[in-house]
Amino acid sequence: MLMRNMLLAGAMLAVTASAAFAQTVILQPDEEVVVREYIVKRPPPEVVLPDDFDLSVGTVVPEDVVITPLDAPGIETRYDYLVVDGRGVLVDPDTREIVEILD
């Protein structure tokens, strides 16, 4: 019984991890090109985050960090963005959660 529960828990974890990975791809390749061009043409001031800040998908951007609305043509979902270390960072405007990092 214990072994069965462990296998079931492992399978659930694998499904959850797969679903989380699938959610990290926010933009399709053609949309990513549009967003990159938009950010290059309209760069906000580069942001310097605290040393202990974890720049990764799922992390919430602190309230004192300025994020800029993304109004790129053809992108229907609302995003905000910022630039950190030369990389575009897409942020959910409602939660301030990082949804994609463009390397």
Side-chain angles (χ1 to χ4, degrees), residues 53-88:
F53 184 79
D54 178 26
L55 183 65
S56 61
V57 172
T59 303
V60 175
V61 177
E63 289 292 327
D64 60 339
V65 173
V66 176
I67 53 177
T68 304
L70 178 73
D71 191 23
I75 307 300
E76 295 181 21
T77 304
R78 275 189 9 189
Y79 297 111
D80 288 344
Y81 72 103
L82 59 138
V83 175
V84 179
D85 297 328
R87 297 184 291 174

Side-chain angles (χ1 to χ4, degrees), residues 9-57:
M12 290 174 57
L13 181 61
V15 169
T16 303
S18 296
F21 177 75
Q23 292 174 1
T24 62
V25 178
I26 299 299
L27 299 175
Q28 297 303 313
D30 56 331
E31 293 175 320
E32 187 172 322
V33 170
V34 170
V35 169
R36 285 178 187 278
E37 289 176 359
Y38 181 90
I39 292 173
V40 167
K41 291 179 181 175
R42 295 166 190 81
E46 180 131 351
V47 173
V48 177
L49 296 168
D51 290 336
D52 62 343
F53 184 79
D54 178 26
L55 183 65
S56 61
V57 172

